[in-house]
């Protein structure tokens, strides 16, 4: 669906994105992870045809991004991090307005509103909507023309756990339909749960690219944390999973039946990001 | 078809923004003012009224609409739809043109202007010019203050020579190069100069349209976050 070869781009004379190459397969959820200013939004803008002065090749659904025209935009949906809605219009009027700009077959407005729990608020003005409601409406606005490629920028940002769950289920439903999703996020839990592949972007470069589970398994071994009581105080110890049989302390505690707890813990995608890039996501 | 649907959507928006209602009130107010004037002054008063308000309404309202929509970030969403910059410009200027023509026609009829068709042409092309000038400025400004600072000299620069020409202070035909003078002469006279006025205004329209096209393309390229 997306093929980037030797991409270079800069806003100034200083190099920013240099020699970047990767591809995104059909029906994949692909995540861009990185701190603010890393180049995630710039890459997204290049992919959606808004920054045509790049070097190299960026092919999106068979179209070179710098040549993006009306037909290109019929096939992509973009949900930005911030609401992009007419406040004076109701949710239904907003969806009707934006759907009128597309020639392709539109999805049913009521079904879309119902899918994100906004059906009963469809005739409310957007100015009366909460942040979570605006995010959900913005998301279905990106779906109204039934795109085959979806760009989502921080889709769960600022949402309560319940609304974040609704949003994540909607994204997974799009994947189940065969839609390719490009996700830009700071949220490592979302990325680990949703993405088939993630790319760590730092200073305009791809520092790592793989399946989240593979990245976790490659970089960090799972550990065991165990606790026991000694002199009326709780003590704790750690050992690598593959060293369990050789950890004398642990063997002794098991033999004496003195363990009070034992847990396995894998590194998170956030830990891997810090490990790979030496940077923390903020 | 998409352009027509977009224009229709923008028409609904200016209704929602209250601009249509405002112009119903203004038109009634102008009719009342014309009613108070003696018959001999009605025609020239009607021309001044339609030139400085319905025709020029776009100068302030276009900027106000754009700044409001900038605040709501709707241009981010529009920049990733199939619409093109020229369609966007048309969708923005046509609804205000319609309001200007309807309000202008009612005031012109009430003022019994001598050259109704010329007056309507002047209002129409004047509205397009003022709206495009405003659109051009508004894409480059981010606050009401900076917009007003930029737009007031434009308004003075267009309307002052036009009014001076209407009262024969400026009578050289060279002034027909000026868009305001060309518009008001088209509205107020019925002579062979009409074609020169029309040509001058169409050249200005083409110039402002090209400026807007370039400005809107550049403006849309800044949408979507990241470095602008």
């Amino acid at each position: 669906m997306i093929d980037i070869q030797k991409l270079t781009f800069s806003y100034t004379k200083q190099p920013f994105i240099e020699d970047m190459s990767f591809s995104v397969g059909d029906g994949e959820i692909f995540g861009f992870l990185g701190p603010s200013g890393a180049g995630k939004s710039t890459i997204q803008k290049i992919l959606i045809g808004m920054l045509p002065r790049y070097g190299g090749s960026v092919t999106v659904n068979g179209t070179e991004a710098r040549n993006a025209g009306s037909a290109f935009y019929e096939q992509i949906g973009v949900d930005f991090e911030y609401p992009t809605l007419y406040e004076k219009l109701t949710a239904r009027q907003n969806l009707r307005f934006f759907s009128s700009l597309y020639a392709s077959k539109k999805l049913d407005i009521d079904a879309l509103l119902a899918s994100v729990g906004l059906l009963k608020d469809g005739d409310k003005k957007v100015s009366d909507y909460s942040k979570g409601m605006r995010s959900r409406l913005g998301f279905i606005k990106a779906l109204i023309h039934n795109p085959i490629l979806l760009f989502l920028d921080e889709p769960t940002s600022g949402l309560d756990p319940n609304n974040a769950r609704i949003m994540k289920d909607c994204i997974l439903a799009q994947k189940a339909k065969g839609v390719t999703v490009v996700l830009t996020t700071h949220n490592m839990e979302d990325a680990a749960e949703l993405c088939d592949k993630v790319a760590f972007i730092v200073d305009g470069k791809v520092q790592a690219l793989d399946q989240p589970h593979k990245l976790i398994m490659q970089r960090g071994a799972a550990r065991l944390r165990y606790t026991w009581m000694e002199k009326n105080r709780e003590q704790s110890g750690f050992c690598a999973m593959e060293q369990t049989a050789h950890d004398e302390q642990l063997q002794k505690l098991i033999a004496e039946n003195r363990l009070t707890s034992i847990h396995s813990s894998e590194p998170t995608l956030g830990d891997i990001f810090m490990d790979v890039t030496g940077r923390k996501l903020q | 078809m998409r352009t027509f649907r977009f224009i229709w959507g923008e028409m609904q928006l200016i209704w929602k923004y209250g601009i249509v209602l405002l112009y119903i009130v203004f038109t009634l107010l102008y009719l009342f003012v014309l009613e108070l004037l003696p018959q001999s002054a009605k025609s020239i008063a009607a021309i001044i009224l339609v030139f400085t308000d319905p025709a020029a309404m776009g100068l302030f309202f276009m900027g106000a609409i754009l700044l409001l929509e900038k605040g709501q970030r709707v241009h981010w969403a529009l920049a990733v739809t199939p619409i093109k910059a020229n369609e966007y410009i048309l969708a923005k200027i046509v609804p205000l043109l319609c309001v200007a023509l309807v309000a202008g026609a009612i005031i012109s009829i009430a003022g019994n202007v001598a050259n109704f068709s010329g007056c309507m042409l002047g209002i129409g092309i004047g509205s397009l010019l003022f709206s495009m000038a405003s659109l051009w400025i508004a894409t480059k400004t981010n606050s009401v203050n900076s917009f007003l600072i930029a737009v007031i000299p434009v308004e003075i620069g267009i309307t002052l020579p036009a009014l001076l020409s209407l009262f024969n202070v400026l009578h050289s035909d060279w002034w027909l190069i000026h868009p305001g003078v060309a518009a008001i002469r088209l509205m107020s006279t019925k002579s062979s100069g009409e074609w020169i006025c029309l040509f001058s205004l169409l050249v200005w329209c083409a110039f402002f349209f090209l400026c807007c096209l370039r400005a809107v393309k550049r403006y849309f390229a800044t949408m979507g976050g990241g470095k602008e």
Side-chain angles (χ1 to χ4, degrees):
Chain A
M1 179 59 73
I2 295 173
D3 187 39
I4 296 181
Q5 293 299 328
K6 299 188 173 184
L7 170 66
T8 54
F9 179 81
S10 182
Y11 293 103
T12 62
K13 287 181 178 170
Q14 299 297 317
F16 180 40
I17 293 171
E18 280 187 289
D19 202 23
M20 184 180 279
S21 300
F22 63 88
S23 59
V24 180
D26 288 357
E28 264 183 13
I29 301 184
F30 188 92
F32 284 123
L33 306 179
S36 300
K40 305 186 302 290
S41 296
T42 300
I43 298 167
Q44 177 166 308
K45 284 176 79 172
I46 291 170
L47 289 173
I48 60 178
M50 292 173 80
L51 294 175
R53 289 181 189 164
Y54 58 83
S57 168
V58 176
T59 315
V60 180
N61 193 30
T63 303
E64 185 64 41
R66 65 168 69 85
N67 302 326
S70 296
F72 176 84
Y73 292 107
E74 289 282 351
Q75 295 173 331
I76 68 162
V78 184
D79 180 24
F80 294 100
E81 181 180 1
Y82 303 104
T84 55
L85 299 154
Y86 288 101
E87 305 248 330
K88 287 267 183 188
L89 300 184
T90 66
R92 258 197 194 87
Q93 287 166 339
N94 264 287
L95 293 174
R96 221 174 283 140
F97 178 90
F98 282 100
S99 76
S100 75
L101 306 179
Y102 294 92
S104 49
K105 194 171 177 287
K106 322 298 185 324
L107 298 182
D108 179 62
I109 288 176
D110 279 358
L112 279 173
L113 287 167
S115 70
V116 288
L118 290 176
L119 187 57
K120 67 178 172 47
D121 298 305
D123 293 318
K124 245 189 208 174
K125 275 188 185 175
V126 169
S127 54
D128 297 329
Y129 268 32
S130 68
K131 188 179 177 190
M133 292 164 88
R134 285 171 199 227
S135 292
R136 285 180 278 156
L137 180 59
F139 177 73
I140 55 172
K141 175 164 70 65
L143 304 180
I144 190 82
H145 56 294
N146 208 9
I148 57 169
L149 174 59
L150 203 50
F151 291 89
L152 306 176
D153 196 353
E154 303 288 357
T156 59
S157 168
L159 296 182
D160 62 61
N162 194 31
N163 281 322
R165 187 66 260 161
I166 292 173
M167 192 68 94
K168 286 190 270 190
D169 288 343
C170 288
I171 295 168
L172 291 169
Q174 290 302 307
K175 176 184 159 64
K177 268 176 63 182
V179 174
T180 307
V181 182
V182 175
L183 192 71
T184 305
T185 185
H186 288 106
N187 191 315
M188 291 291 173
E189 287 78 31
D190 285 358
E193 180 185 346
L194 297 172
C195 296
D196 297 305
K197 270 191 205 161
V198 292
F200 293 163
I201 310 284
V202 178
D203 298 331
K205 294 182 182 68
V206 177
Q207 303 272 7
L209 192 159
D210 212 330
Q211 295 170 13
H213 185 69
K214 275 193 183 168
L215 281 170
I216 290 168
M217 287 300 138
Q218 278 167 11
R219 291 277 172 171
R223 295 196 306 170
L224 273 185
R225 178 180 184 270
Y226 52 91
T227 59
W228 71 97
M229 295 301 287
E230 200 163 295
K231 295 175 188 166
N232 287 331
R233 288 182 64 185
E234 189 178 63
Q235 309 289 325
S236 65
F238 296 91
C239 78
M241 193 70 92
E242 65 270 20
Q243 294 297 317
T244 312
H246 309 296
D247 188 301
E248 286 178 9
Q249 178 77 56
L250 180 60
Q251 295 306 323
K252 187 171 169 238
L253 289 166
I254 291 170
E256 293 171 2
N257 214 13
R258 287 174 56 206
L259 281 173
T260 53
S261 73
I262 183 163
H263 303 278
S264 66
S265 67
E266 288 173 353
T268 64
L269 200 55
D271 297 332
I272 303 302
F273 183 87
M274 279 175 64
D275 186 27
V276 171
T277 66
R279 302 273 285 272
K280 196 175 175 182
L281 284 174
Q282 63 270 49
Chain B
M1 272 310 283
R2 182 179 61 219
T3 311
F4 287 114
R5 290 196 302 265
F6 191 17
I7 291 170
W8 176 241
E10 288 288 337
M11 280 181 166
Q12 290 171 311
L13 275 172
I14 65 161
W15 171 263
K16 292 275 176 190
Y17 292 150
I19 293 172
V20 176
L21 193 65
L22 194 67
Y23 268 82
I24 292 171
V25 175
F26 279 177
T27 305
L28 290 173
L29 190 70
Y30 293 148
L31 293 180
F32 178 70
V33 170
L34 284 176
E35 199 55 39
L36 296 178
L37 294 174
Q39 198 64 34
S40 58
K42 273 187 183 178
S43 176
I44 198 157
I47 287 168
I48 294 169
L49 283 175
V50 291
F51 180 74
T52 55
D53 195 355
M57 67 185 285
L59 197 57
F60 288 97
F61 281 103
M62 181 62 78
I65 292 168
L66 231 79
L67 289 174
L68 176 74
E69 292 177 352
K70 266 188 182 185
Q72 296 169 358
R73 295 193 186 88
V74 288
H75 303 138
W76 289 30
L78 291 174
V80 292
T81 64
I83 61 155
K84 296 173 181 158
N86 58 350
E87 291 174 284
Y88 176 79
I89 297 166
L90 277 177
K92 281 289 171 206
I93 61 180
V94 171
L96 292 182
L97 169 71
C98 294
V99 175
L101 284 176
V102 173
I106 294 167
I107 298 165
S108 303
I109 291 166
N112 202 19
V113 294
N115 180 8
F116 181 74
S117 57
C119 194
M120 293 308 288
L121 261 176
I123 295 167
I125 302 176
S127 165
L128 295 176
L129 281 179
F130 280 114
S131 294
M132 286 193 283
S134 181
L135 182 62
W136 184 19
I137 294 166
T139 56
K140 295 170 186 296
T141 51
N142 286 315
S143 69
V144 175
N145 285 352
S146 56
F147 174 74
L148 288 176
I149 288 168
V151 92
I152 287 171
V154 175
E155 189 187 24
I156 294 170
I158 295 178
T159 52
L160 188 64
L163 294 176
L164 291 174
S165 163
L166 187 66
F167 291 106
N168 284 324
V169 179
L170 306 174
H171 29 69
S172 164
D173 282 346
W174 282 105
W175 277 102
L176 293 181
I177 296 169
H178 184 278
V181 174
I184 213 150
R185 290 245 189 122
L186 191 63
M187 291 161 78
S188 59
T189 57
K190 202 167 191 175
S191 65
S192 55
E194 257 187 348
W195 290 106
I196 302 168
C197 296
L198 201 56
F199 178 73
S200 168
L201 286 171
L202 290 177
V203 170
W204 277 106
C205 265
F207 170 73
F208 276 109
F209 185 77
L210 291 175
C211 291
C212 277
L213 200 60
R214 189 176 151 89
V216 168
K217 279 182 181 172
R218 285 188 167 193
Y219 172 61
F220 274 11
T222 66
M223 303 291 105
K227 189 168 177 176
E228 295 184 356

